[in-house]
Amino acid sequence: MKVAVVGATGLVGSVMLKVLAERNFPLTELIPVASAKSAGQKVEFKGKNYTVVTMDEAIGMKPDVALFSAGGSTSLQDAPRFAEAGTTVIDNSSAWRMDPDKKLIVPEVNAHVLTSLDKIIANPNCSTIQMVVVLNPLHEKYKIKRVVVSTYQSVTGTGVKAVEQMMNERKGIEGEMAYPYPIDLNVIPQIDVFQENGYTKEEMKMILETKKIMGDDSIQVTATTVRIPVMGGHSESVNIEFENDFDLAEVRGLLEDEEGIIVVDDPANLKYPMPMDAHEKDEVFVGRIRRDESQPKTLNLWIVADNLRKGAATNAVQIAEYLIQKNLI
Ligand SMILES: NC(=O)c1ccc[n+]([C@@H]2O[C@H](COP(=O)([O-])OP(=O)(O)OC[C@H]3O[C@@H](n4cnc5c(N)ncnc54)[C@H](OP(=O)(O)O)[C@@H]3O)[C@@H](O)[C@H]2O)c1
């Protein structure tokens, strides 16, 4: 199993290498790929140094799998070139997510739709992944009518430059800006660009991707996505209205039984999920589980996950593991 990691010098790519190593992914050859400026650099994997190669060199090596996290335009241009060479691409950018011919996968929810014909598979947006992992078991049991979500997103979601901006501001150093405003000691209610309807692209991703992954266009979603000066993970306040009423203890039980979810919900002992606890973990954490007392059949939740892990690298590696397990590559 030859595995290319495209964007290996980036934030998601470097976590991808860690996750592949930790999970003992059955690879026989690792091909780290980045832009021409990084070719020749070394990256470490399982105690060995590997030389970063260019896209063309990597395509020539015909990997079995390419895990892409190198931006949308790179994916649009180069993922089809890998696919033509017989490689199965799992892409972290937004380039292919809403393409009706491409599958958008969160393994806990919809891996069963994958076939060996899927050569470019899309990994959803980080804030969508952590939300649907929690919504799915609740939808199966109580049928969701509407979701209102507000996010509190980590600077690591923007990449290396954003982390540098925050750290520079913290040290009083003038440097390159990844955001239009200072992020340290601030909150920016804009993630990605504004659309004609007044929502941002990140908000529209959460709305459209949720329906596609869960295979149900009837689920209504409205989102407000916000960047906060935090590292370690994204947090979400989620309000869910169901068709059918629920029992709170049963909701907790359903979530506790779900693989990949950890319930941290003990207000009496001040236990709830926080990004500093989710950091470098693969699971999605849920807490503050309570009835919305303002209307019937409605639940409030607080969801936290490491956006570089379950929101990106871990989800992509889990997709690859599923393909191998089912002999689809
Ligand atoms: N951060 C997150 O939480 C998150 C979550 C889900 C998805 N994503 C997506 O993952 C992608 C990467 O995000 P990131 O946060 O890791 O960004 P990043 O830290 O800026 O890293 C970008 C990576 O892409 C490489 N790259 C850029 N242009 C390239 C080209 N033309 N050919 C080959 N490699 C190229 C860079 O190589 P150089 O070092 O040589 O420039 C670097 O390795 C984006 O599409 C992003 O939307 C990010």
Side-chain angles (χ1 to χ4, degrees), residues 227-250:
R227 188 74 65 192
I228 60 167
V230 154
M231 290 172 66
H234 293 346
S235 305
E236 297 172 347
S237 158
V238 187
N239 179 271
I240 314 161
E241 185 185 353
F242 298 103
E243 293 276 356
N244 304 304
D245 205 4
F246 56 84
D247 172 74
L248 263 190
E250 189 181 57

PDB file of all heavy atoms in Angstrom, residues 227-250:
ATOM      1  N   ARG A 227     -14.834  32.657  14.398  1.00  0.00           N
ATOM      2  CA  ARG A 227     -13.436  32.324  14.721  1.00  0.00           C
ATOM      3  C   ARG A 227     -13.078  32.924  16.069  1.00  0.00           C
ATOM      4  O   ARG A 227     -13.341  34.109  16.316  1.00  0.00           O
ATOM      5  CB  ARG A 227     -12.530  32.904  13.633  1.00  0.00           C
ATOM      6  CG  ARG A 227     -11.092  32.480  13.725  1.00  0.00           C
ATOM      7  CD  ARG A 227     -10.859  31.050  13.304  1.00  0.00           C
ATOM      8  NE  ARG A 227     -11.150  30.850  11.897  1.00  0.00           N
ATOM      9  CZ  ARG A 227     -11.256  29.650  11.329  1.00  0.00           C
ATOM     10  NH1 ARG A 227     -11.100  28.543  12.039  1.00  0.00           N
ATOM     11  NH2 ARG A 227     -11.535  29.539  10.044  1.00  0.00           N
ATOM     12  N   ILE A 228     -12.490  32.122  16.936  1.00  0.00           N
ATOM     13  CA  ILE A 228     -12.060  32.611  18.254  1.00  0.00           C
ATOM     14  C   ILE A 228     -10.569  32.317  18.457  1.00  0.00           C
ATOM     15  O   ILE A 228     -10.025  31.420  17.818  1.00  0.00           O
ATOM     16  CB  ILE A 228     -12.911  32.005  19.399  1.00  0.00           C
ATOM     17  CG1 ILE A 228     -12.815  30.472  19.420  1.00  0.00           C
ATOM     18  CG2 ILE A 228     -14.364  32.452  19.290  1.00  0.00           C
ATOM     19  CD1 ILE A 228     -13.356  29.840  20.677  1.00  0.00           C
ATOM     20  N   PRO A 229      -9.901  33.071  19.335  1.00  0.00           N
ATOM     21  CA  PRO A 229      -8.450  32.903  19.492  1.00  0.00           C
ATOM     22  C   PRO A 229      -8.093  31.691  20.343  1.00  0.00           C
ATOM     23  O   PRO A 229      -7.599  31.821  21.476  1.00  0.00           O
ATOM     24  CB  PRO A 229      -8.018  34.212  20.165  1.00  0.00           C
ATOM     25  CG  PRO A 229      -9.233  34.685  20.867  1.00  0.00           C
ATOM     26  CD  PRO A 229     -10.422  34.209  20.102  1.00  0.00           C
ATOM     27  N   VAL A 230      -8.368  30.521  19.781  1.00  0.00           N
ATOM     28  CA  VAL A 230      -8.182  29.272  20.516  1.00  0.00           C
ATOM     29  C   VAL A 230      -7.493  28.272  19.605  1.00  0.00           C
ATOM     30  O   VAL A 230      -7.664  28.324  18.389  1.00  0.00           O
ATOM     31  CB  VAL A 230      -9.581  28.762  20.958  1.00  0.00           C
ATOM     32  CG1 VAL A 230      -9.618  27.276  21.146  1.00  0.00           C
ATOM     33  CG2 VAL A 230     -10.021  29.459  22.224  1.00  0.00           C
ATOM     34  N   MET A 231      -6.716  27.365  20.186  1.00  0.00           N
ATOM     35  CA  MET A 231      -6.172  26.247  19.426  1.00  0.00           C
ATOM     36  C   MET A 231      -6.732  24.973  20.063  1.00  0.00           C
ATOM     37  O   MET A 231      -7.292  25.019  21.132  1.00  0.00           O
ATOM     38  CB  MET A 231      -4.645  26.249  19.490  1.00  0.00           C
ATOM     39  CG  MET A 231      -4.078  27.406  18.690  1.00  0.00           C
ATOM     40  SD  MET A 231      -2.325  27.641  18.889  1.00  0.00           S
ATOM     41  CE  MET A 231      -1.679  26.169  18.143  1.00  0.00           C
ATOM     42  N   GLY A 232      -6.605  23.877  19.395  1.00  0.00           N
ATOM     43  CA  GLY A 232      -7.000  22.615  20.031  1.00  0.00           C
ATOM     44  C   GLY A 232      -8.287  22.043  19.513  1.00  0.00           C
ATOM     45  O   GLY A 232      -8.465  20.830  19.498  1.00  0.00           O
ATOM     46  N   GLY A 233      -9.228  22.887  19.069  1.00  0.00           N
ATOM     47  CA  GLY A 233     -10.451  22.294  18.536  1.00  0.00           C
ATOM     48  C   GLY A 233     -11.548  23.311  18.326  1.00  0.00           C
ATOM     49  O   GLY A 233     -11.458  24.452  18.776  1.00  0.00           O
ATOM     50  N   HIS A 234     -12.560  22.868  17.599  1.00  0.00           N
ATOM     51  CA  HIS A 234     -13.751  23.686  17.361  1.00  0.00           C
ATOM     52  C   HIS A 234     -14.831  23.295  18.383  1.00  0.00           C
ATOM     53  O   HIS A 234     -15.000  22.112  18.693  1.00  0.00           O
ATOM     54  CB  HIS A 234     -14.338  23.409  15.975  1.00  0.00           C
ATOM     55  CG  HIS A 234     -13.482  23.840  14.821  1.00  0.00           C
ATOM     56  ND1 HIS A 234     -12.403  24.682  14.935  1.00  0.00           N
ATOM     57  CD2 HIS A 234     -13.584  23.551  13.499  1.00  0.00           C
ATOM     58  CE1 HIS A 234     -11.875  24.888  13.739  1.00  0.00           C
ATOM     59  NE2 HIS A 234     -12.568  24.206  12.856  1.00  0.00           N
ATOM     60  N   SER A 235     -15.589  24.296  18.830  1.00  0.00           N
ATOM     61  CA  SER A 235     -16.729  24.050  19.717  1.00  0.00           C
ATOM     62  C   SER A 235     -17.994  24.501  19.007  1.00  0.00           C
ATOM     63  O   SER A 235     -17.950  25.423  18.183  1.00  0.00           O
ATOM     64  CB  SER A 235     -16.581  24.851  21.009  1.00  0.00           C
ATOM     65  OG  SER A 235     -15.346  24.570  21.624  1.00  0.00           O
ATOM     66  N   GLU A 236     -19.115  23.853  19.346  1.00  0.00           N
ATOM     67  CA  GLU A 236     -20.381  24.207  18.693  1.00  0.00           C
ATOM     68  C   GLU A 236     -21.518  24.159  19.696  1.00  0.00           C
ATOM     69  O   GLU A 236     -21.651  23.191  20.444  1.00  0.00           O
ATOM     70  CB  GLU A 236     -20.686  23.200  17.563  1.00  0.00           C
ATOM     71  CG  GLU A 236     -19.652  23.233  16.463  1.00  0.00           C
ATOM     72  CD  GLU A 236     -19.824  22.114  15.426  1.00  0.00           C
ATOM     73  OE1 GLU A 236     -20.590  21.163  15.678  1.00  0.00           O
ATOM     74  OE2 GLU A 236     -19.185  22.218  14.369  1.00  0.00           O
ATOM     75  N   SER A 237     -22.335  25.203  19.683  1.00  0.00           N
ATOM     76  CA  SER A 237     -23.590  25.184  20.420  1.00  0.00           C
ATOM     77  C   SER A 237     -24.657  24.761  19.419  1.00  0.00           C
ATOM     78  O   SER A 237     -24.823  25.403  18.381  1.00  0.00           O
ATOM     79  CB  SER A 237     -23.857  26.590  20.954  1.00  0.00           C
ATOM     80  OG  SER A 237     -25.229  26.732  21.205  1.00  0.00           O
ATOM     81  N   VAL A 238     -25.341  23.646  19.718  1.00  0.00           N
ATOM     82  CA  VAL A 238     -26.276  23.082  18.734  1.00  0.00           C
ATOM     83  C   VAL A 238     -27.656  22.916  19.366  1.00  0.00           C
ATOM     84  O   VAL A 238     -27.785  22.325  20.438  1.00  0.00           O
ATOM     85  CB  VAL A 238     -25.766  21.710  18.214  1.00  0.00           C
ATOM     86  CG1 VAL A 238     -26.644  21.215  17.069  1.00  0.00           C
ATOM     87  CG2 VAL A 238     -24.320  21.800  17.760  1.00  0.00           C
ATOM     88  N   ASN A 239     -28.662  23.461  18.693  1.00  0.00           N
ATOM     89  CA  ASN A 239     -30.063  23.352  19.119  1.00  0.00           C
ATOM     90  C   ASN A 239     -30.783  22.501  18.079  1.00  0.00           C
ATOM     91  O   ASN A 239     -30.751  22.815  16.898  1.00  0.00           O
ATOM     92  CB  ASN A 239     -30.657  24.769  19.215  1.00  0.00           C
ATOM     93  CG  ASN A 239     -32.116  24.761  19.619  1.00  0.00           C
ATOM     94  OD1 ASN A 239     -32.995  24.695  18.764  1.00  0.00           O
ATOM     95  ND2 ASN A 239     -32.384  24.834  20.904  1.00  0.00           N
ATOM     96  N   ILE A 240     -31.392  21.389  18.543  1.00  0.00           N
ATOM     97  CA  ILE A 240     -31.973  20.424  17.594  1.00  0.00           C
ATOM     98  C   ILE A 240     -33.460  20.217  17.896  1.00  0.00           C
ATOM     99  O   ILE A 240     -33.825  19.813  19.009  1.00  0.00           O
ATOM    100  CB  ILE A 240     -31.277  19.049  17.704  1.00  0.00           C
ATOM    101  CG1 ILE A 240     -29.747  19.221  17.734  1.00  0.00           C
ATOM    102  CG2 ILE A 240     -31.691  18.126  16.566  1.00  0.00           C
ATOM    103  CD1 ILE A 240     -29.015  18.007  18.284  1.00  0.00           C
ATOM    104  N   GLU A 241     -34.276  20.479  16.885  1.00  0.00           N
ATOM    105  CA  GLU A 241     -35.712  20.234  17.028  1.00  0.00           C
ATOM    106  C   GLU A 241     -36.057  18.919  16.321  1.00  0.00           C
ATOM    107  O   GLU A 241     -35.680  18.728  15.160  1.00  0.00           O
ATOM    108  CB  GLU A 241     -36.501  21.387  16.399  1.00  0.00           C
ATOM    109  CG  GLU A 241     -37.992  21.243  16.627  1.00  0.00           C
ATOM    110  CD  GLU A 241     -38.815  22.316  15.898  1.00  0.00           C
ATOM    111  OE1 GLU A 241     -38.219  23.250  15.319  1.00  0.00           O
ATOM    112  OE2 GLU A 241     -40.043  22.193  15.913  1.00  0.00           O
ATOM    113  N   PHE A 242     -36.769  18.021  17.027  1.00  0.00           N
ATOM    114  CA  PHE A 242     -37.102  16.705  16.472  1.00  0.00           C
ATOM    115  C   PHE A 242     -38.580  16.613  16.108  1.00  0.00           C
ATOM    116  O   PHE A 242     -39.419  17.353  16.632  1.00  0.00           O
ATOM    117  CB  PHE A 242     -36.802  15.604  17.501  1.00  0.00           C
ATOM    118  CG  PHE A 242     -35.347  15.507  17.884  1.00  0.00           C
ATOM    119  CD1 PHE A 242     -34.890  16.021  19.093  1.00  0.00           C
ATOM    120  CD2 PHE A 242     -34.434  14.898  17.046  1.00  0.00           C
ATOM    121  CE1 PHE A 242     -33.555  15.924  19.447  1.00  0.00           C
ATOM    122  CE2 PHE A 242     -33.092  14.792  17.395  1.00  0.00           C
ATOM    123  CZ  PHE A 242     -32.654  15.316  18.600  1.00  0.00           C
ATOM    124  N   GLU A 243     -38.899  15.630  15.244  1.00  0.00           N
ATOM    125  CA  GLU A 243     -40.303  15.280  14.965  1.00  0.00           C
ATOM    126  C   GLU A 243     -40.916  14.626  16.196  1.00  0.00           C
ATOM    127  O   GLU A 243     -42.069  14.856  16.537  1.00  0.00           O
ATOM    128  CB  GLU A 243     -40.379  14.235  13.827  1.00  0.00           C
ATOM    129  CG  GLU A 243     -39.955  14.713  12.465  1.00  0.00           C
ATOM    130  CD  GLU A 243     -41.074  15.411  11.720  1.00  0.00           C
ATOM    131  OE1 GLU A 243     -42.201  15.460  12.232  1.00  0.00           O
ATOM    132  OE2 GLU A 243     -40.784  15.924  10.624  1.00  0.00           O
ATOM    133  N   ASN A 244     -40.118  13.745  16.832  1.00  0.00           N
ATOM    134  CA  ASN A 244     -40.631  12.941  17.943  1.00  0.00           C
ATOM    135  C   ASN A 244     -39.970  13.356  19.248  1.00  0.00           C
ATOM    136  O   ASN A 244     -38.804  13.775  19.242  1.00  0.00           O
ATOM    137  CB  ASN A 244     -40.328  11.462  17.684  1.00  0.00           C
ATOM    138  CG  ASN A 244     -40.905  11.032  16.361  1.00  0.00           C
ATOM    139  OD1 ASN A 244     -42.104  11.166  16.111  1.00  0.00           O
ATOM    140  ND2 ASN A 244     -40.044  10.539  15.475  1.00  0.00           N
ATOM    141  N   ASP A 245     -40.689  13.189  20.331  1.00  0.00           N
ATOM    142  CA  ASP A 245     -40.124  13.592  21.621  1.00  0.00           C
ATOM    143  C   ASP A 245     -39.065  12.578  22.079  1.00  0.00           C
ATOM    144  O   ASP A 245     -39.023  11.452  21.599  1.00  0.00           O
ATOM    145  CB  ASP A 245     -41.215  13.766  22.670  1.00  0.00           C
ATOM    146  CG  ASP A 245     -40.771  14.731  23.773  1.00  0.00           C
ATOM    147  OD1 ASP A 245     -39.655  15.295  23.663  1.00  0.00           O
ATOM    148  OD2 ASP A 245     -41.528  14.920  24.737  1.00  0.00           O
ATOM    149  N   PHE A 246     -38.232  13.008  22.999  1.00  0.00           N
ATOM    150  CA  PHE A 246     -37.121  12.176  23.461  1.00  0.00           C
ATOM    151  C   PHE A 246     -37.105  12.137  24.971  1.00  0.00           C
ATOM    152  O   PHE A 246     -37.722  12.976  25.633  1.00  0.00           O
ATOM    153  CB  PHE A 246     -35.795  12.756  22.934  1.00  0.00           C
ATOM    154  CG  PHE A 246     -35.584  14.192  23.325  1.00  0.00           C
ATOM    155  CD1 PHE A 246     -35.042  14.526  24.552  1.00  0.00           C
ATOM    156  CD2 PHE A 246     -35.957  15.222  22.457  1.00  0.00           C
ATOM    157  CE1 PHE A 246     -34.863  15.857  24.922  1.00  0.00           C
ATOM    158  CE2 PHE A 246     -35.784  16.552  22.825  1.00  0.00           C
ATOM    159  CZ  PHE A 246     -35.238  16.868  24.051  1.00  0.00           C
ATOM    160  N   ASP A 247     -36.354  11.175  25.471  1.00  0.00           N
ATOM    161  CA  ASP A 247     -36.110  11.089  26.894  1.00  0.00           C
ATOM    162  C   ASP A 247     -34.630  11.429  27.097  1.00  0.00           C
ATOM    163  O   ASP A 247     -33.769  10.864  26.408  1.00  0.00           O
ATOM    164  CB  ASP A 247     -36.421   9.657  27.345  1.00  0.00           C
ATOM    165  CG  ASP A 247     -36.021   9.418  28.773  1.00  0.00           C
ATOM    166  OD1 ASP A 247     -36.712   9.922  29.665  1.00  0.00           O
ATOM    167  OD2 ASP A 247     -34.989   8.754  28.990  1.00  0.00           O
ATOM    168  N   LEU A 248     -34.327  12.353  27.997  1.00  0.00           N
ATOM    169  CA  LEU A 248     -32.938  12.832  28.127  1.00  0.00           C
ATOM    170  C   LEU A 248     -31.959  11.713  28.474  1.00  0.00           C
ATOM    171  O   LEU A 248     -30.856  11.655  27.931  1.00  0.00           O
ATOM    172  CB  LEU A 248     -32.861  13.898  29.219  1.00  0.00           C
ATOM    173  CG  LEU A 248     -32.919  15.365  28.779  1.00  0.00           C
ATOM    174  CD1 LEU A 248     -32.588  16.265  29.962  1.00  0.00           C
ATOM    175  CD2 LEU A 248     -31.954  15.661  27.628  1.00  0.00           C
ATOM    176  N   ALA A 249     -32.394  10.805  29.357  1.00  0.00           N
ATOM    177  CA  ALA A 249     -31.491   9.707  29.745  1.00  0.00           C
ATOM    178  C   ALA A 249     -31.223   8.813  28.531  1.00  0.00           C
ATOM    179  O   ALA A 249     -30.099   8.337  28.317  1.00  0.00           O
ATOM    180  CB  ALA A 249     -32.120   8.896  30.876  1.00  0.00           C
ATOM    181  N   GLU A 250     -32.271   8.646  27.710  1.00  0.00           N
ATOM    182  CA  GLU A 250     -32.106   7.817  26.511  1.00  0.00           C
ATOM    183  C   GLU A 250     -31.151   8.495  25.516  1.00  0.00           C
ATOM    184  O   GLU A 250     -30.304   7.847  24.895  1.00  0.00           O
ATOM    185  CB  GLU A 250     -33.470   7.579  25.862  1.00  0.00           C
ATOM    186  CG  GLU A 250     -33.429   6.559  24.746  1.00  0.00           C
ATOM    187  CD  GLU A 250     -34.800   6.362  24.104  1.00  0.00           C
ATOM    188  OE1 GLU A 250     -35.393   7.358  23.628  1.00  0.00           O
ATOM    189  OE2 GLU A 250     -35.266   5.218  24.074  1.00  0.00           O
TER     190      GLU A 250
END
